């Protein structure tokens, strides 16, 4: 920028460094705690220099978990990964198909279908939590991966993003495909899906993070430790109160729980930002 | 809306949209309708008989001091989260937009909280402020502040507000930064030529141009504070001490699953639905085409 005011320059970097410090503080303290012994963590104030238990603590939680929640964290990470992938991929596939139907076809009751999908934009799962749980238990889906994922796929944000994107695809594309004798599914797989790949990438980042970080729903629908995603597992580790909590192991689990979604967002930054702010979506 | 060019086929489009319709019927409409139905019945705690009571659940609800208190707590919480979150992220975005060196590194750091699960955010901050072993609680004691959010309701509220703001900074930051970058540099240069200082330029040129973004984020932040902070509160304070941090969504969960008062919980859900509908309406009315996650 044209601003050459040295005072402003100093202020700029001071504010940014303060911001980064506030962002980094909890993450750093968590990391440090995850490398210490329990005695070191409990010695208030704990040292802000990493200890030498890094490998030992992480190996212990991955293999056998912590405290009164006995499930190995490796298993919980697997549950989280499965959940995040099923939600992200499932939502993208289902939404691509239904947006395609809504945009490129005429069919009976299309208006009704559109409005049914549209209304789901308005109510987050938190709001209808109790009855959704009852439906799950009626269907026998408690403690199943189906129960863990399907209700979170049941909203239509992605459908609307694809719908809006499809509207910007020139009509000539479909026309040319028809003249060449390509059927609708051929057009879909060979033209529409490849054209949508940046939107798909952007949506994948957002939905992966959404799925990985779910809390309230898995809290209700899982009762066995072996089904917990890691975000739930960690809460169960500290529920025994201060005295019973092995903080160094809890903090190692917290680091492991943060790593995958943070990695996805940082590595796919470009698509992630596009997915959030792109006005064309 | 539809295309000028459409494909023929009667069953194909129905088959394409069927998976989505099936999932929302079972996992969205069925429970949503059940919430409406349950809100006008009283059910005993063991899932037995139901008795139709009309609007009695709602009457009881709005006469309940605890529920009204939960409304007050939610209001304080969401105003604080939205106000502190927006001001902080706007400041960070403004300076990140000016920074030349290390801009990408700052940006990368500042988007990290977006990816951290709310429950983990709650655990992290609860650990920092833990009265016996938290390092921030220790620092505060150095300043003569006796920190114990486990006993002090106001301190517990401050804790969940800090955690909720920390989590939401990234989202606001990304939108403010995008907004700032879309302001033509010539406008800012013109202000500088007219002799306006940085603050003056910000107040009279930049901020007015950002006001649509700010309004959009205000709605999003209120929705966030209402609904997406459940996990932060559960992990950090469990609504306590003495319900000092029990926001509306937490109360729905607590009354439904812990106290097993299903009629009241369903009535609370219906009230929340009404609030979301109003907020969504505001959002669609004033900010077209933005889809919220």
């Amino acid at each position: 920028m044209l601003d050459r005011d040295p005072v402003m320059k100093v202020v700029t970097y001071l504010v940014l460094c303060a911001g980064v410090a506030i962002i980094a503080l909890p993450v750093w303290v968590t990391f440090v705690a995850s490398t210490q012994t329990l005695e070191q963590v409990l010695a208030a104030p704990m040292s802000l220099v990493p200890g030498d238990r890094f490998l030992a603590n992480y190996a212990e939680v991955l293999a056998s978990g912590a405290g009164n929640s006995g499930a190995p964290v490796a298993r919980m990470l697997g549950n989280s990964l499965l959940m995040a992938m099923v939600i992200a991929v499932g939502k993208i596939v289902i939404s691509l198909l239904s947006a395609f139907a809504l945009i490129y076809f005429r069919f009976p009751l299309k208006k009704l279908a559109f409005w049914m999908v549209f209304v789901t934009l308005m109510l987050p799962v938190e709001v209808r939590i109790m009855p959704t749980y009852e439906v799950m238990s009626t269907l026998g889906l408690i403690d199943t991966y189906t129960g863990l994922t399907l209700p979170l796929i049941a909203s239509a944000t992605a459908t609307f993003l694809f719908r809006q994107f499809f509207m910007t695809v020139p009509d000539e594309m479909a026309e040319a495909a028809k003249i060449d004798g390509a059927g609708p599914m051929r057009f879909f797989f060979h033209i529409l899906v490849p054209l949508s790949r940046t939107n798909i990438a952007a949506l994948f980042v957002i939905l992966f993070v959404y799925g990985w970080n779910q809390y309230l729903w898995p809290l209700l629908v899982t009762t066995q430790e072996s089904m917990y995603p890691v975000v739930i597992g960690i809460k169960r580790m500290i529920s025994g109160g201060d005295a019973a909590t092995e903080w160094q192991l809890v903090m190692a689990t917290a680091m492991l729980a943060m790593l995958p979604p943070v990695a996805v967002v940082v590595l796919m930054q470009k698509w992630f930002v596009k997915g959030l702010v792109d006005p064309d979506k | 809306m539809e295309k000028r060019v459409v494909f023929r086929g009667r069953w194909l489009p129905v088959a394409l949209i069927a998976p989505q319709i099936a999932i929302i019927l079972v996992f969205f409409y069925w429970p949503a309708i059940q919430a409406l139905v349950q809100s006008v019945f009283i059910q005993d705690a063991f899932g037995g008989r139901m008795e139709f009571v009309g609007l009695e659940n709602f009457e009881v609800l709005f006469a309940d001091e605890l529920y009204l208190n939960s409304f007050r707590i939610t209001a304080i919480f969401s105003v604080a989260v939205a106000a502190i979150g927006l001001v902080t992220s706007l400041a960070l975005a403004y300076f990140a937009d000016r920074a030349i060196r290390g801009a990408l590194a700052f940006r990368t750091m500042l988007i990290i909280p977006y990816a951290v699960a709310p429950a983990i955010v709650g655990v992290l901050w609860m650990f920092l402020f833990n009265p016996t072993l938290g390092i921030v609680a220790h620092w505060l004691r150095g300043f003569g502040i006796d920190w114990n959010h486990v006993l002090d309701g106001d301190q517990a509220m401050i804790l969940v507000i800090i955690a909720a703001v920390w989590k939401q900074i990234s989202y606001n930051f990304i939108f403010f930064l995008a907004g700032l970058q879309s302001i033509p540099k010539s406008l800012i240069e013109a202000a500088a030529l007219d002799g306006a200082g940085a603050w003056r330029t910000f107040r009279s040129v930049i901020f007015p141009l950002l006001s649509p973004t700010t309004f959009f984020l205000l709605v999003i932040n209120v929705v966030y504070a209402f609904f997406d902070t459940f996990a932060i509160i559960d992990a950090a304070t469990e609504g306590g001490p003495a319900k000092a941090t029990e926001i509306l969504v937490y109360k729905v969960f607590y009354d439904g699953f812990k106290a097993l008062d299903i009629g009241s919980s369903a009535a609370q859900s219906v009230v929340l639905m009404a609030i979301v509908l109003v907020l969504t309406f505001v959002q669609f009315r004033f900010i077209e085409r933005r889809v919220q996650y």
Side-chain angles (χ1 to χ4, degrees):
Chain A
M1 268 177 76
L2 59 138
D3 176 72
R4 279 173 215 96
D5 184 352
V7 177
M8 229 13 222
K9 210 164 187 174
V10 172
V11 172
T12 297
Y13 287 97
L14 279 179
V15 171
L16 288 177
C17 289
V20 168
I22 291 169
I23 299 299
L25 175 74
V27 180
W28 177 252
V29 171
T30 303
F31 172 70
V32 170
S34 76
T35 62
Q36 296 182 337
T37 62
L38 182 57
E39 290 70 39
Q40 286 171 315
V41 177
L42 293 179
M46 60 178 264
S47 154
L48 284 177
V49 180
D52 58 2
R53 301 270 305 161
F54 177 77
L55 287 177
N57 287 343
Y58 283 78
E60 185 176 346
V61 287
L62 281 172
S64 54
N68 39 17
S69 151
V73 170
R75 161 104 201 179
M76 296 180 188
L77 289 169
N79 290 339
S80 291
L81 183 67
L82 184 76
M83 190 177 163
M85 289 300 287
V86 170
I87 289 173
V89 174
K91 216 165 170 166
I92 288 171
V93 170
I94 286 172
S95 303
L96 273 171
L97 293 176
S98 59
F100 179 49
L102 285 172
I103 291 284
Y104 281 97
F105 289 91
R106 292 198 188 97
F107 57 94
L109 301 181
K110 180 167 152 173
K111 269 243 157 67
L112 176 70
F114 174 81
W115 281 104
M116 280 181 71
V117 174
F118 184 76
V119 168
T120 64
L121 284 180
M122 300 182 190
L123 296 180
V125 74
E126 280 78 6
V127 177
R128 55 202 151 82
I129 199 77
M130 202 50 220
T132 309
Y133 175 79
E134 284 167 17
V135 168
M136 287 296 122
S137 76
T138 310
L139 297 176
L141 291 175
I142 305 296
D143 276 325
T144 64
Y145 290 110
T146 315
L148 209 45
T149 52
L150 277 190
L152 296 168
I153 295 179
S155 88
T157 42
T159 310
F160 281 85
L161 296 195
F162 286 125
R163 182 177 161 273
Q164 287 196 337
F165 173 69
F166 291 171
M167 308 247 259
T168 67
V169 174
D171 278 347
E172 286 73 18
M173 296 266 187
E175 209 152 18
K178 282 175 88 172
I179 290 166
D180 288 348
M185 292 321 285
R186 227 182 136 80
F187 169 73
F188 178 72
F189 283 113
H190 289 269
I191 296 177
L192 217 46
V193 172
L195 279 176
S196 316
R197 60 178 184 271
T198 47
N199 295 62
I200 293 175
L203 213 49
F204 178 83
V205 183
I206 291 162
L207 292 174
F208 182 89
V209 172
Y210 168 81
W212 183 280
N213 290 346
Q214 280 302 312
Y215 180 77
L216 177 54
W217 183 244
L219 183 68
L220 301 177
V221 89
T222 59
T223 58
Q224 300 165 8
E225 283 165 358
S226 62
M227 288 298 294
Y228 289 165
V230 65
V231 172
I232 300 297
I234 208 167
K235 172 72 199 318
R236 297 282 156 106
M237 287 177 189
I238 54 176
S239 57
D242 273 357
T245 304
E246 293 180 275
W247 285 104
Q248 81 289 12
L249 301 182
V250 172
M251 292 297 136
T253 311
M255 289 304 292
L256 290 169
M258 275 191 269
L259 205 59
V262 168
V264 167
V265 162
V266 168
L267 295 176
M268 296 181 70
Q269 228 180 113
K270 202 176 102 195
W271 289 280
F272 161 65
V273 173
K274 187 175 158 52
L276 280 190
V277 292
D278 196 342
D280 276 343
K281 67 189 185 181
Chain B
M1 261 191 259
E2 75 191 12
K3 294 273 186 183
R4 192 164 44 77
V5 183
V6 293
F7 288 99
R8 249 178 304 221
R10 201 174 165 74
W11 295 108
L12 181 62
V14 175
L16 289 170
I17 205 167
Q20 175 139 52
I21 298 288
I23 288 182
I24 62 178
L25 276 178
V26 176
F27 299 112
F28 183 90
Y29 284 96
W30 182 2
I33 289 165
Q34 203 157 328
L36 286 172
V37 171
Q38 278 172 349
S39 70
V40 293
F41 282 89
I42 289 181
Q43 189 175 29
D44 67 62
F46 305 100
R49 293 176 309 113
M50 302 253 284
E51 191 195 337
F52 180 75
V53 291
L55 295 179
E56 197 185 304
N57 282 325
F58 294 94
E59 282 163 25
V60 172
L61 200 55
F62 283 101
D64 181 1
E65 193 52 47
L66 278 175
Y67 188 64
L68 298 177
N69 193 43
S70 179
F71 249 103
R72 202 175 56 82
I73 288 166
T74 312
I76 295 170
F77 177 70
S78 44
V79 168
V81 168
I84 300 170
L86 288 175
V87 171
T88 316
S89 353
L90 178 56
L92 289 170
Y94 174 74
F95 289 108
D97 187 41
R98 300 177 70 98
I100 301 160
R101 277 163 206 286
L104 185 67
F106 283 125
R107 236 170 274 179
T108 305
M109 280 301 290
L110 289 170
I111 63 171
I112 283 177
Y114 176 88
V116 181
I120 306 287
V121 174
V123 171
L124 262 49
W125 285 97
M126 177 265 264
F127 180 67
L128 287 176
F129 280 91
N130 186 302
T132 48
L133 52 104
I135 190 132
V136 177
H138 178 79
W139 293 338
L140 287 173
R141 232 165 278 133
F143 289 112
I145 300 168
D146 186 23
W147 183 272
N148 192 340
H149 68 261
V150 182
L151 299 175
D152 185 323
D154 292 338
Q155 290 185 354
M157 182 55 109
I158 293 169
L159 173 67
V160 290
I161 289 170
I162 292 174
V165 168
W166 186 83
K167 163 88 188 140
Q168 188 66 359
I169 279 181
S170 312
Y171 190 92
N172 299 338
F173 172 79
I174 289 162
F175 276 90
F176 276 133
L177 191 62
L180 284 164
Q181 286 174 344
S182 70
I183 295 175
K185 290 286 173 273
S186 55
L187 280 177
I188 293 161
E189 281 165 28
L193 286 177
D194 288 346
W199 172 244
R200 185 78 210 272
T201 310
F202 177 80
R203 217 190 42 185
S204 349
V205 180
I206 298 175
F207 190 70
L209 289 171
L210 279 182
S211 57
T213 308
T214 310
F215 185 72
F216 164 75
L217 285 175
L218 182 67
V219 176
I220 295 288
N221 277 263
V222 171
V223 173
Y224 161 79
F226 263 73
F227 300 105
D228 295 338
T229 50
F230 172 86
I232 293 179
I233 289 179
D234 192 46
T237 65
E238 294 189 334
K243 306 206 175 291
T245 52
E246 192 178 66
I247 61 167
L248 292 167
V249 171
Y250 201 86
K251 192 165 162 59
V252 170
F253 163 80
Y254 186 86
D255 289 356
F257 287 91
K258 296 275 167 74
L260 295 178
D261 186 350
I262 292 161
S264 172
S265 177
Q268 292 178 35
S269 290
V270 172
V271 173
L272 276 176
M273 285 188 210
I275 295 173
V276 193
L277 285 178
V278 170
L279 286 171
T280 317
F281 175 75
V282 169
Q283 200 179 321
F284 275 97
R285 181 79 178 69
F286 296 101
I287 320 123
E288 299 154 301
R289 298 184 53 197
R290 294 274 200 202
V291 180
Q292 163 238 337
Y293 288 92

